[in-house]
């Protein structure tokens, strides 16, 4: 190493488990500013790295310092805001800095050569000079205007609590417009929970902003795009050419030097939580990023997460955590459209084993005859959740998982939805040879089939039969299938839509006048304390698909309805749904959570262990727990005993977990930081040889 060369700290993808530090030292002939993207040798490979802040770590004894292999020319360094966000994420979610930094970058930055990237950069044209055309704006409703004005004048963060169809998206559009008008380099980030929701959002944003800023000013960022598309969007955002980034949770890490506004639509949606690697919550990171980067944050929902709702309640002496978010309320639907009337069918009073109760079926038939659309929700795909032998009690269990294989009638398969194992449906019982094997329970395929039979005698206004379409993960496997199926619904080419929760979210269907939850009871008695919250949100969202077009409803002259088939019609979830009363539901749930000391009144983390046997998995967790007893940081943290996961075995891997709880977020953080090295040490102990992996999930969504 010559005297002229500089030592720089570089974040590379060295996972926590590798034992390498967060940062490695490399030599460079030039000083390289933090945030510079470089290629560096790592072992026998050359990898992408990010020059980091601070001093280069001293190399371990006897380790030779290697030189930076190249700098990605033409790319401005990633700014300090971005680096801080990455560093915070790594610390908070207990992962390595390099892992988070590299995962936050588009994959092609890692795989393309410097020349290839330079070519991509040349190819992207600079932002066109667009005439300062004025944007066509709709007139905001009084509620929308009040929300807009408060967002303009207050610092936030904001919880936009607006009914389905109250025009939240219009408020986002207006706030983005104002944020962009504030400075020529201002940028906005708008997040939605699911890839499926990005095309329609993109269309609305493009229609609004392309005339003013050019079509290239709006880009998308989600995992449904090709790597080349993702790189192009990322580069445009990084260079400031893209003014608006629309994306799913991964977009929270986009490099946005001019970021002024972040919108998190449907903020309650569990999809914002990443379920592998760094298990981050994009909503929580959006709040953190907004605060540190000086961007306003709007969380929007008709059914906010109880965490966000709690933060938007006024602070009281007993509960000082309130008042952190400013709540903006938009209770009314645009165009004076009414929210659907909720009708509960007591399934105890209906003929046994009926899928669709006679009154619900009659209501659907009426809609078909009038040319209106209905939507039926059933949260199980396939034909039936299990096949059963009446003679010997054999069940279609997956040999590799503690779960049943689901019967799919259309392609005559038994499929495990956990490990993917797919087999032909046996002609006879594999255990006793009996031919008497029958499906038990029902899924969307069966619902579609039975509906076709039941509606056969019903005709549409033009005398043709009802058209039924099923939308679920099976029907939409082919690329573009979902978009074309949704387009069919929008075009009015479908009378009855059957599907899983996939269809309940966000879509602006115009002619649906009836929505039905066919079998929602399963979630009422789940062991997961968040199950009622999820069910309520799902049903409210589903109800929100009905009667969205006030003008259409006025012409039809019929009320829109949400039907719920249940054996527990008096359950508080359904009582609150009946009144469309989220605040009452939230109050009741928060009271229960407070009494039980559950989030948002406490903070949790999970440690999970996967192994070939349950003994090894739990043994590792027990040893880690014993090691923790020596830590003074344990004082404010409760460590529960290891238990198997609800689905204990998947693909022959046994899974166990251990819950940690604390009254204080910082106490939990301090404990996890102190405990991590002990977990690594425990892992290295030969006593736990059969352990496949372990991981930490901070603020887990499923216990
Ligand atoms: P949400 O996001 O709250 O479900 P949207 O923003 O999608 O609601 O609005 C519902 C419908 O009302 C959309 O078709 C939208 O174009 C329309 N809309 C929203 N705001 C207005 C307004 N101020 N005037 C007229 N139509 C509006
Ligand atoms: Zn049998
Ligand atoms: Zn399986």
């Amino acid at each position: 190493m010559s005297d002229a060369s500089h030592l720089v700290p570089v974040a590379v993808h060295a996972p926590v488990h590798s034992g390498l530090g967060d940062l490695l030292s490399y030599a460079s002939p030039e000083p390289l500013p933090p945030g510079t993207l470089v290629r560096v040798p790592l072992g026998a490979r050359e990898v992408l790295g990010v020059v980091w802040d601070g001093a280069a770590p001293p190399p371990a004894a006897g380790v030779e310092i290697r030189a930076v292999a190249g700098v990605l020319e033409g790319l401005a360094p990633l700014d300090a805001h971005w680096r801080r966000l990455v560093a915070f994420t790594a610390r908070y979610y207990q992962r390595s800095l390099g892992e988070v930094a590299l995962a936050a970058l588009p994959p092609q930055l890692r795989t393309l050569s410097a020349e290839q990237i330079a070519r991509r950069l040349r190819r992207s044209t600079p932002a066109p000079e667009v005439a300062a055309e004025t944007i066509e704006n709709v007139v905001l409703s009084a509620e929308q205007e009040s929300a807009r004005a408060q967002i303009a004048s207050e610092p936030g963060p904001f919880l936009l609590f607006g009914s389905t169809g109250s025009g939240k998206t219009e408020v986002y559009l207006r706030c983005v417009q104002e944020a962009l008008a504030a400075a020529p380099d201002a940028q906005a980030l708008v997040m939605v929970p699911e890839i499926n929701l990005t095309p329609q959002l993109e269309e609305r944003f493009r229609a609004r902003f392309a005339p003013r800023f050019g079509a290239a000013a709006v880009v998308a960022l989600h995992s449904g795009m090709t790597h080349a598309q993702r790189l192009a969007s990322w580069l445009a955002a990084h260079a400031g050419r893209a003014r608006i980034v629309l994306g799913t949770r991964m977009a929270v890490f986009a490099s946005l030097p001019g970021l002024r506004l972040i919108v998190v639509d449907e903020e309650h949606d569990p999809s914002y939580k990443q379920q592998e690697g760094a298990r981050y919550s994009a909503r929580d990171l959006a709040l953190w990023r907004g605060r540190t980067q000086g961007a306003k944050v709007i969380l929007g929902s008709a059914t906010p997460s109880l965490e966000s709702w709690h933060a938007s309640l006024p602070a009281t002496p007993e509960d000082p955590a309130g008042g952190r978010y400013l709540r903006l309320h938009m209770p009314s639907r645009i165009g004076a459209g009414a929210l659907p009337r909720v009708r509960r069918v007591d399934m105890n009073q209906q003929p046994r084993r009926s899928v669709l109760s006679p009154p619900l079926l009659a209501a659907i038939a009426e809609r078909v005859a009038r040319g209106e659309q209905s939507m039926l929700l059933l949260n199980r795909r396939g034909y039936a959740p299990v096949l059963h032998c009446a003679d010997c009690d054999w069940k279609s269990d997956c040999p590799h998982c503690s779960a049943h294989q689901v019967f799919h009638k259309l392609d005559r398969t038994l499929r495990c939805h956990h490990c993917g194992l797919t087999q032909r449906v046996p002609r006879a019982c594999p255990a006793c040879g009996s031919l008497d094997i029958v499906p038990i329970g029902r899924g969307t395929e069966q619902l579609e089939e039975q509906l076709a039979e039941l509606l056969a005698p019903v005709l549409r206004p033009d005398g043709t039969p009802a058209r039924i379409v099923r939308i679920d993960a099976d029907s939409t496997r082919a690329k573009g299938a979902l978009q074309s199926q949704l387009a069919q619904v929008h075009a009015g080419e479908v009378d009855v839509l059957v599907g899983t929760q996939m269809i309940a979210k966000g879509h602006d269907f115009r002619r649906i006048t009836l929505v039905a939850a066919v079998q929602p009871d399963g979630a009422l008695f789940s062991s997961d304390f968040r199950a009622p919250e999820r069910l309520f949100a799902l049903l409210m969202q589903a109800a929100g698909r009905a009667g969205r077009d006030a003008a259409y409803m006025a012409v039809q002259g019929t009320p829109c309805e949400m039907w719920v088939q249940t054996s527990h019609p008096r359950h508080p979830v359904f009582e609150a749904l009946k009144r469309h009363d989220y605040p009452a539901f939230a109050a009741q749930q928060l009271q229960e959570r407070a009494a039980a000391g559950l989030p948002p009144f406490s903070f949790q983390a999970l440690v999970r262990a996967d192994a070939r046997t349950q003994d090894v998995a739990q043994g590792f967790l027990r040893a880690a727990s014993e090691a923790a007893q020596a830590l003074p940081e344990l004082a404010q943290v409760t460590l529960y005993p290891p238990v198997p996961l609800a689905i204990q075995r998947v693909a022959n891997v046994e899974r166990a977990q251990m819950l940690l709880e604390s009254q204080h977020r910082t106490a939990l953080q301090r404990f996890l930081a102190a405990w991590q090295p002990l977990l690594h040490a425990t892992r290295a102990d030969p006593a736990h040889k059969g352990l496949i992996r372990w991981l930490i999930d901070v603020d887990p969504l499923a216990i």
Side-chain angles (χ1 to χ4, degrees), residues 159 305-314 319 321-324 590 600-601:
L159 178 62
S305 64
L306 288 175
E307 281 81 0
S308 299
W309 184 254
H310 180 232
S312 78
L313 293 171
D319 189 7
R324 287 175 290 136
L590 282 175
F601 303 96

Side-chain angles (χ1 to χ4, degrees), residues 334-338 510-511 513 547-558:
I334 291 292
R510 310 303 296 174
R511 284 196 223 167
T513 61
R548 291 179 71 80
D549 191 333
Y552 176 73
M553 295 309 293
V555 172
Q556 294 303 106
T558 44

Side-chain angles (χ1 to χ4, degrees), residues 196-544:
N196 306 332
L197 297 174
T198 50
Q200 57 171 25
L201 192 71
E202 223 179 311
E203 213 172 285
R204 267 176 96 170
F205 271 80
R206 235 185 226 121
R208 186 68 59 91
F209 292 109
R212 177 72 191 272
F213 299 112
V218 181
V219 301
L221 211 49
H222 57 75
S223 60
M225 298 161 63
T226 66
H227 283 183
Q229 290 169 330
R230 259 169 78 178
L231 179 64
S233 290
W234 188 90
L235 289 172
H238 178 62
R241 283 194 311 280
R243 306 285 306 276
I244 302 166
V245 172
L246 307 173
T248 51
R249 61 174 179 261
M250 64 154 66
V252 78
F253 291 113
S255 167
L256 290 159
L259 186 62
R260 293 291 180 97
L261 176 70
I262 309 179
V263 174
V264 185
D265 191 25
E266 310 292 1
E267 66 88 24
H268 63 278
D269 198 296
S271 306
Y272 282 118
K273 185 87 158 68
Q274 166 77 13
Q275 292 298 353
E276 57 187 42
R279 299 184 163 222
Y280 64 87
S281 157
R283 176 200 56 213
D284 296 352
L285 288 181
L287 289 160
W288 193 91
R289 184 172 189 178
R291 197 171 60 237
T292 52
Q293 196 167 349
K296 289 192 182 183
V297 180
I298 307 173
L299 308 179
S301 179
T303 52
S305 64
L306 288 175
E307 281 81 0
S308 299
W309 184 254
H310 180 232
S312 78
L313 293 171
T316 61
E318 306 82 64
D319 189 7
R324 287 175 290 136
Y325 305 167
L326 182 60
R327 188 196 304 160
L328 311 169
H329 194 191
M330 302 203 302
S332 318
R333 280 190 144 181
I334 291 292
L339 284 165
R341 172 164 168 230
V342 175
R343 310 197 50 173
R344 290 164 290 185
V345 183
D346 185 349
M347 294 306 274
N348 299 303
Q349 312 292 323
Q350 300 301 319
R352 275 174 57 76
R353 307 182 69 91
S354 55
V355 188
L356 294 173
S357 58
L360 173 56
L361 186 65
I364 297 169
E366 247 177 67
R367 257 75 187 181
V368 172
R370 279 204 301 267
E372 298 170 8
Q373 294 178 314
S374 304
M375 178 171 117
L376 272 59
L377 279 174
L378 178 60
N379 225 0
R380 262 192 203 147
R381 63 195 172 87
Y383 191 86
V386 62
L387 272 188
H388 177 245
C389 170
D391 287 329
C392 76
D393 209 26
W394 169 87
K395 288 194 182 73
S396 57
D397 290 331
C398 175
H400 308 307
C401 306
S402 38
H404 299 310
Q405 277 185 293
V406 175
F407 172 43
H408 289 250
K409 189 177 176 184
L410 289 176
D411 60 3
R412 306 292 307 169
T413 57
L414 287 176
R415 278 194 241 154
C416 175
H417 290 180
H418 298 280
C419 72
L421 179 72
T422 302
Q423 293 170 314
R424 303 282 309 155
V425 171
R427 223 177 288 276
C429 170
C432 75
S434 163
L435 292 178
D436 193 9
I437 49 175
V438 288
I440 308 264
R442 61 188 71 97
T444 44
E445 273 187 14
Q446 190 176 164
L447 185 58
E448 182 189 18
E449 178 188 280
Q450 293 182 339
L451 203 55
E453 273 168 36
L454 293 167
L455 290 180
V458 182
L459 297 179
R460 300 166 16 84
D462 65 2
T464 57
R467 300 152 310 178
I468 302 168
V469 156
R470 171 172 55 89
I471 300 188
D472 57 25
D474 296 317
S475 77
T476 55
R477 201 151 289 163
K479 196 168 163 54
L482 176 64
Q483 291 316 320
S484 73
Q485 285 177 328
L486 291 175
Q488 262 184 302
V489 182
H490 285 293
E493 291 160 12
V494 171
D495 304 301
V496 186
L497 173 59
V498 174
T500 52
Q501 61 176 350
M502 206 166 170
I503 54 174
K505 291 185 186 177
H507 300 289
D508 195 14
F509 299 127
R510 310 303 296 174
R511 284 196 223 167
I512 290 183
T513 61
L514 179 148
V515 173
V518 175
Q519 201 177 43
D521 283 353
L524 292 178
F525 306 101
S526 158
S527 59
D528 187 339
F529 68 89
R530 282 194 176 85
E533 179 185 351
R534 287 225 187 97
L535 176 62
F536 187 77
L538 177 67
L539 295 178
M540 286 282 277
Q541 281 224 307

Side-chain angles (χ1 to χ4, degrees), residues 634-670:
L634 186 59
Q636 287 181 298
V637 176
T638 309
L639 201 53
Y640 290 92
V643 291
L645 260 71
I647 295 173
Q648 174 175 338
R649 188 168 48 105
V650 168
N652 291 324
V653 171
E654 288 282 341
R655 313 176 316 159
Q657 68 183 20
M658 192 157 69
L659 178 66
L660 293 81
E661 217 167 59
S662 178
Q663 301 299 108
H664 310 283
R665 201 192 280 276
T666 45
L668 185 59
Q669 279 291 312
R670 268 200 303 273

